[in-house]
Amino acid sequence: GAVVSQHPSRVICKSGTSVKIECRSLDFQATTMFWYRQFPKQSLMLMATSNEGSKATYEQGVEKDKFLINHASLTLSTLTVTSAHPEDSSFYICSARGQSETQYFGPGTRLLVL
Amino acid sequence: GDSVTQMEGPVTLSEEAFLTINCTYTATGYPSLFWYVQYPGEGLQLLLKATKADDKGSNKGFEATYRKETTSFHLEKGSVQVSDSAVYFCALSFGNEKLTFGTGTRLTIIP
């Protein structure tokens, strides 16, 4: 099956620093990647959709200058949380989609901002 | 807009019990329907899917049938195991558009 990896799996940072999370499709070309945020015991909230080589489309209420998304190749997308604050602490999950409509999810990155 | 309503959790069952997790949807048209499972500390894994009315998705002993008349996609398993303990998400999408998730149902299986 299709495999999506995320790195790092866990990160702790100080308030005010920036954190970059990578999402890779390992065995297929992902024309579209999605970034989600999940709060404890809640569902996934879509943050943005990115297509390779174009700007990401952000969901309403998501600050594009705070959550920078880059999808430079068909196998890699990055999410950078700029000037992170404690309220940004969350579980960030990416998914990738190739030719089929099925999204394949990464294992998630747990971010803790102190 | 499109939405997915799931059975409120948490659900606790004994091993080998029969499982049903209800899922209904509201959408204009006929979306594809999915069940995803999230094990503790991990991301989501696709469990099964159905793309048109009356299709049955199945995997690992789990089944769900796409019922157009009741706009439902209930998840069932005849005999659950401790290893099935996880959070289950019902979701829908239209073609290559985004997934719309339900709130998730936490399932705990007791030995």
Side-chain angles (χ1 to χ4, degrees), chain B residues 21-85:
Chain B
I21 300 178
N22 289 339
C23 171
T24 58
Y25 67 90
T26 302
T28 305
Y30 303 110
S32 294
L33 301 174
F34 306 82
W35 276 101
Y36 282 86
V37 58
Q38 184 179 31
Y39 297 103
E42 300 182 12
L44 273 69
Q45 299 176 27
L46 178 64
L47 180 60
L48 53 85
K49 68 176 183 179
T51 57
K52 61 183 188 297
D54 300 325
D55 269 2
K56 178 187 284 188
S58 61
N59 185 25
K60 298 181 181 179
F62 290 89
E63 291 184 341
T65 301
Y66 190 142
R67 301 288 187 198
K68 182 179 66 175
E69 59 278 8
T70 54
T71 62
S72 65
F73 193 54
H74 304 322
L75 182 68
E76 297 182 336
K77 185 173 185 181
S79 177
V80 291
Q81 306 300 314
V82 173
S83 57
D84 294 327
S85 298

Side-chain angles (χ1 to χ4, degrees), chain A residues 84-106:
Chain A
H85 291 285
E87 58 267 28
D88 298 324
S89 299
S90 191
F91 195 49
Y92 292 87
I93 303 175
C94 74
S95 70
R97 187 179 65 204
Q99 295 299 316
S100 76
E101 66 178 1
T102 302
Q103 288 185 34
Y104 296 93
F105 286 78

Side-chain angles (χ1 to χ4, degrees), chain A residues 21-40:
Chain A
I21 303 170
E22 291 186 349
C23 177
R24 292 181 185 275
S25 57
L26 299 184
D27 52 2
F28 68 102
Q29 293 187 324
T31 51
T32 306
M33 287 186 169
F34 304 83
W35 286 96
Y36 295 84
R37 185 173 179 177
Q38 185 181 31
F39 291 100

